[in-house]
């Protein structure tokens, strides 16, 4: 017998034992006490939702008075259950700074020089800036492929290139095939990697599907009232300027390289970095003014175990919705995401009915999800209320309030689930153990049919990237996103309480509580055996 065969057998046996251990863990874990589970009721869910989705709260738009009232209500409920405020000041309100930004298009331009010829490119038609960051930079151009510098993965697009004082041209929203399954930090890619290597600015090349939406992007990014988070600072505390090239500018850059435009949009294939015989001068005149701060609502229930209480299991939902129209029409958002919000609220109280779990519980009601996942991005990428390394998993609930009635043939309800079906998204992306534990818990409790269609990367809705859980998952934190499907009332004024199926909500919320309760009481931290997604399209 060859040594390699012996080694292979040993490794196979070890892996098999590990897989069996995970299965046994999921199967042998106790379930939460019945009185804790039964404390989640359709009656309580309806009580909370009837207030939060009422006309008086006006839709809970992020910057509205109704949103602030909703935040107060959620905080008061958490405090009454025995939670403490999770914000840095000890309150339940994590401030989320926002600003209105825009671009002076007439004063913004790109000058591109190659072979002694200079061409001018206009803001909007030829390039965009998102988010708008004031920039006035110039220099030689260097193509840096995907712009990734990850020594730990033995991959560096900057190897052998001098980009100090220069403008890098990089492929945005894509990753080479060799790194598709690898977790890359923000510092290893994009503008942060470019800044770390001394570049003065960057020109991003978007993939063809995104370029196809150029006119829609232009319409939005040319507005003067774009609401957003502060730009991410670089190591020196200043935002790094980056623009997105439109088709004319992409064509000009490719021509200077002696290539076709498709060379700069390789869809994961090899893209060899190289100096470009061209120079550019970029001016973006951004205009910004402070907006009122928004707020996440955060509460903490300290765990019972002296050591494990320093680890946190997160339950999240977004409590914001859409702005009331000028003529007074209210987008109540009963399902989106009133249903997730009140489910998390009832789950929060269930953890206080009996003995506390071993790990701590972090409840986060995110704001600004409808505007672009602002609340969750702030809590993960800017100032986390709890260091991300201490977060074990995030259970995110967004729209679980509707079920498809028998005989419903409305095409807008085609993917709405029935009473016995639930879309489960993300459970297998990072942790095989979490996925198995989720399946086992459902089999022992709710007996729902888990539908994983929307978990597929090929699904056109790309829902894994479209709710707050993604901002946790991209940092390697295992997540599960629970969802019952889009429907005819999605983002319409008709998304109201009268259409909510509270009995099915109760069934789902109890199952989610049981799953999270098991994770909070595991004798070990969830095993993360898969890499985080490297990037995601904009919402």
């Amino acid at each position: 017998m060859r040594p390699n065969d012996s080694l292979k057998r040993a490794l196979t046996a070890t892996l098999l034992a590990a897989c069996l251990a995970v299965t046994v863990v999921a199967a042998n874990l106790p379930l939460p006490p019945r009185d804790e589970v039964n404390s989640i009721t359709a009656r309580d869910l309806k009580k909370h939702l009837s207030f939060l989705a009422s006309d008086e709260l006006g839709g809970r738009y992020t910057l509205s008075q109704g949103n602030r009232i909703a935040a107060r209500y959620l905080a008061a409920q958490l405090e009454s259950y025995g939670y403490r405020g999770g914000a840095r000041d000890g309150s339940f309100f994590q401030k989320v700074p926002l600003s209105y930004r825009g671009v002076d298009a007439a004063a913004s331009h790109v000058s591109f020089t190659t072979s002694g010829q200079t061409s001018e490119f206009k803001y909007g038609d030829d390039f965009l800036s998102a988010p708008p960051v004031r920039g006035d930079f110039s220099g030689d151009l260097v193509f840096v492929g995907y712009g990734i510098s990850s020594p730990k993965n033995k991959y560096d697009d900057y190897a052998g290139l001098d980009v100090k004082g220069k403008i890098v041209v990089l492929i945005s929203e894509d990753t080479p095939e060799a790194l598709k399954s690898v977790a890359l930090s923000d510092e290893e890619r994009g503008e942060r990697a470019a800044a770390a290597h001394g570049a003065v600015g960057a020109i991003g090349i978007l993939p063809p599907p995104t370029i196809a939406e150029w006119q829609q992007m232009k319409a939005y990014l040319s507005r003067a009232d774009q609401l957003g988070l502060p730009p991410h600072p670089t190591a020196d505390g200043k935002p790094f300027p980056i623009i997105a090239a439109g088709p004319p500018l992409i064509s000009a850059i490719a021509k200077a390289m002696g290539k076709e435009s498709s060379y700069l949009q390789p869809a994961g294939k090899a893209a060899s970095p190289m100096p470009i015989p061209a120079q550019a001068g970029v001016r973006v005149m951004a205009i910004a003014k402070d907006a009122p701060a928004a707020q996440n609502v955060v509460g903490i229930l300290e765990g019972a175990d002296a050591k494990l209480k320093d680890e946190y299991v997160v339950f999240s939902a977004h409590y914001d919705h859409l702005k009331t129209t000028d003529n007074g029409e209210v987008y109540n958002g009963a399902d989106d995401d009133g249903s997730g919000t009140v489910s998390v609220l009832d789950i929060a109280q269930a953890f206080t009915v009996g003995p506390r779990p071993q790990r701590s519980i972090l409840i986060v009601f995110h704001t600004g999800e409808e505007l672009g996942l602002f609340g969750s991005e702030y809590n993960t990428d800017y100032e986390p209320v709890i260091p991300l390394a201490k977060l074990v998993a995030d259970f995110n609930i967004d729209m679980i309030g509707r079920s498809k009635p028998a005989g419903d043939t409305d095409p807008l309800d085609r993917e709405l689930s029935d009473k016995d079906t639930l879309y489960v998204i993300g459970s297998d992306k990072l942790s095989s153990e979490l996925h198995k534990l989720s399946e086992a818990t459902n089999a022992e409790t709710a007996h729902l049919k888990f539908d994983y269609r929307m978990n597929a990367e090929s699904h056109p809705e790309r829902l894994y990237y479209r709710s707050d859980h993604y901002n946790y998952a991209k940092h390697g934190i295992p997540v599960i996103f629970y969802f019952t499907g889009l429907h005819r009332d999605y983002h319409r004024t008709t998304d109201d309480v009268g259409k909510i199926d509270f009995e099915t909500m109760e069934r789902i919320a109890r199952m989610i509580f049981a799953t999270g309760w098991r994770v909070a009481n595991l004798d070990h931290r969830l095993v993360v055996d898969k890499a985080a997604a490297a990037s995601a399209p904009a919402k």
Side-chain angles (χ1 to χ4, degrees), residues 109-133:
H109 61 87
V110 171
S111 297
F112 183 83
T113 302
T114 184
S115 301
Q117 300 289 321
T118 299
S119 302
E120 295 289 326
F121 294 90
K122 298 178 180 180
Y123 185 87
D125 293 337
D126 306 322
F127 74 98
L128 292 167
S129 175
V133 176

Side-chain angles (χ1 to χ4, degrees), residues 27 29 146 186-187 195 208 380 504:
L29 273 174
Y146 296 92
D186 290 341
E187 285 69 27
T380 54
T504 298

Side-chain angles (χ1 to χ4, degrees), residues 46-338:
K46 186 174 183 179
K47 175 187 71 175
H48 293 310
L49 190 59
S50 294
F51 176 76
L52 291 171
S54 63
D55 286 350
E56 287 78 6
L57 265 65
R60 310 183 306 278
Y61 170 67
T62 299
L63 298 183
S64 69
Q65 177 71 4
N67 181 278
R68 292 188 288 274
I69 293 171
R72 287 285 176 188
Y73 181 86
L74 295 169
Q77 297 298 317
L78 290 177
E79 188 171 24
S80 73
Y81 302 153
Y83 284 72
R84 64 175 174 84
R88 291 191 174 187
D89 62 1
S91 76
F92 287 90
F93 307 105
Q94 179 192 29
K95 297 300 181 186
V96 179
L98 299 170
S99 62
Y100 295 108
R101 297 195 298 273
V103 172
D104 181 347
S108 302
H109 61 87
V110 171
S111 297
F112 183 83
T113 302
T114 184
S115 301
Q117 300 289 321
T118 299
S119 302
E120 295 289 326
F121 294 90
K122 298 178 180 180
Y123 185 87
D125 293 337
D126 306 322
F127 74 98
L128 292 167
S129 175
V133 176
R134 183 167 186 162
D136 196 344
F137 56 97
S138 60
D140 293 339
L141 298 184
V142 181
F143 177 57
V144 294
Y146 296 92
I148 295 171
S149 181
S150 181
K152 70 182 182 184
N153 291 302
K154 298 180 181 179
Y155 187 101
D156 192 353
D157 283 321
Y158 289 88
L161 293 178
D162 176 15
V163 302
K164 191 171 184 179
K166 300 176 183 178
I167 299 171
V168 297
V169 176
L170 55 87
I171 300 166
S172 297
E173 293 188 10
D174 200 2
T175 306
E177 291 294 342
L179 298 179
K180 286 289 186 183
S181 61
V182 170
L184 295 170
S185 68
D186 290 341
E187 285 69 27
E188 293 176 297
R189 61 187 300 123
E191 54 261 46
R192 296 196 190 183
H197 284 83
V200 296
I203 300 174
I205 309 297
L206 298 169
T210 307
I211 290 291
E213 299 176 357
W214 188 266
Q215 291 305 313
Q216 296 95 305
M217 292 191 297
K218 174 185 172 182
Y220 178 75
L221 295 173
S222 296
R223 291 169 46 187
D225 62 345
Q226 301 167 51
L227 188 63
L229 293 165
H232 283 285
T234 54
D236 62 3
K238 298 178 180 179
F240 183 81
I242 180 169
I243 63 170
L249 184 53
I250 293 174
S251 178
I253 294 171
K255 185 177 180 180
M257 297 170 66
K259 307 286 186 181
E260 298 293 329
S261 295
S262 58
Y263 184 82
L264 299 175
Q265 300 167 311
K269 297 177 183 177
S272 301
M274 66 181 75
I276 302 173
Q279 300 80 40
V282 179
R283 169 166 288 187
V284 177
M285 295 298 292
I287 305 163
K289 64 177 182 178
D290 289 340
Q295 64 284 310
N296 292 326
V297 180
V298 289
I300 293 172
L301 184 71
E302 190 171 275
D305 186 90
K307 292 183 178 180
L308 295 180
K309 71 179 182 181
D310 204 35
E311 297 178 359
Y312 294 77
V313 178
V314 186
F315 293 84
S316 64
H318 74 90
Y319 73 99
D320 66 296
H321 195 53
L322 305 179
K323 187 185 295 186
T324 297
T325 66
D326 291 340
N327 62 3
E329 291 182 292
V330 176
Y331 290 84
N332 300 93
D335 190 25
D336 185 14
D337 182 32

